[in-house]
Amino acid sequence: QVQLVESGGGLVQAGGSLRLSCAASGRTFSSLVMAWFRQAPGKEREFVAAISWSGGTTYYADSVKGRFTISRDNAKTTVYLQMNSLKPEDTAVYRCAAGYGTQYAFAPGYAYWGQGTQVTVSS
């Protein structure tokens, strides 16, 4: 069993930055694919970014490519999402996910989910 706890959300002006963290419990962290998804009010859940178990491969949604960076620290069992040049359309609840699948943008492939952290970007 893996438990995920996100932190780092908040209110920021457009153009600003935030860093989200997702702390994982359990001894299998280093073998897990980790990802971030987001969901805005009235919208479908959206893939944001994913990172392989080793950290050597990353994947991004086109909407965040070049602005967001996903990284992980296996020693600290934590995954991060550095978000720069934030836009009002980035406003959403961001949730951390963990799993063993290879379809990185496919939400049902992730077995474990955090509760989420709110990110609000004002214009």
Side-chain angles (χ1 to χ4, degrees), residues 30-61:
S30 60
S31 63
L32 290 165
V33 173
M34 302 296 297
W36 290 94
F37 288 77
R38 67 186 182 186
Q39 188 165 17
K43 294 189 176 182
E44 296 289 319
R45 181 170 48 190
E46 177 188 20
F47 168 75
V48 176
I51 187 166
S52 62
W53 65 270
S54 67
T57 305
T58 56
Y59 303 85
Y60 296 95

Side-chain angles (χ1 to χ4, degrees), residues 1 9 19-20 27 30 32 44 55-56 66 68 77 94 102 111 117:
Q1 190 72 12
R19 189 174 84 151
L20 305 183
R27 295 182 290 178
S30 60
L32 290 165
E44 296 289 319
F68 291 10
T77 65
Y94 284 71
T102 57
T117 185

Side-chain angles (χ1 to χ4, degrees), residues 17-114:
S17 298
L18 282 175
R19 189 174 84 151
L20 305 183
S21 298
C22 173
S25 66
R27 295 182 290 178
T28 62
F29 180 81
S30 60
S31 63
L32 290 165
V33 173
M34 302 296 297
W36 290 94
F37 288 77
R38 67 186 182 186
Q39 188 165 17
K43 294 189 176 182
E44 296 289 319
R45 181 170 48 190
E46 177 188 20
F47 168 75
V48 176
I51 187 166
S52 62
W53 65 270
S54 67
T57 305
T58 56
Y59 303 85
Y60 296 95
D62 287 343
S63 58
V64 307
K65 203 171 291 183
R67 299 188 299 121
F68 291 10
T69 302
I70 189 171
S71 61
R72 67 189 296 162
D73 185 335
N74 285 348
K76 295 183 178 179
T77 65
T78 301
V79 64
Y80 306 97
L81 185 68
Q82 178 66 44
M83 305 186 295
N84 299 329
S85 302
L86 282 161
K87 304 175 181 179
E89 51 263 44
D90 294 318
T91 295
V93 174
Y94 284 71
R95 296 183 70 187
C96 177
Y100 299 97
T102 57
Q103 294 179 289
Y104 300 106
F106 186 59
Y110 291 89
Y112 308 104
W113 291 83

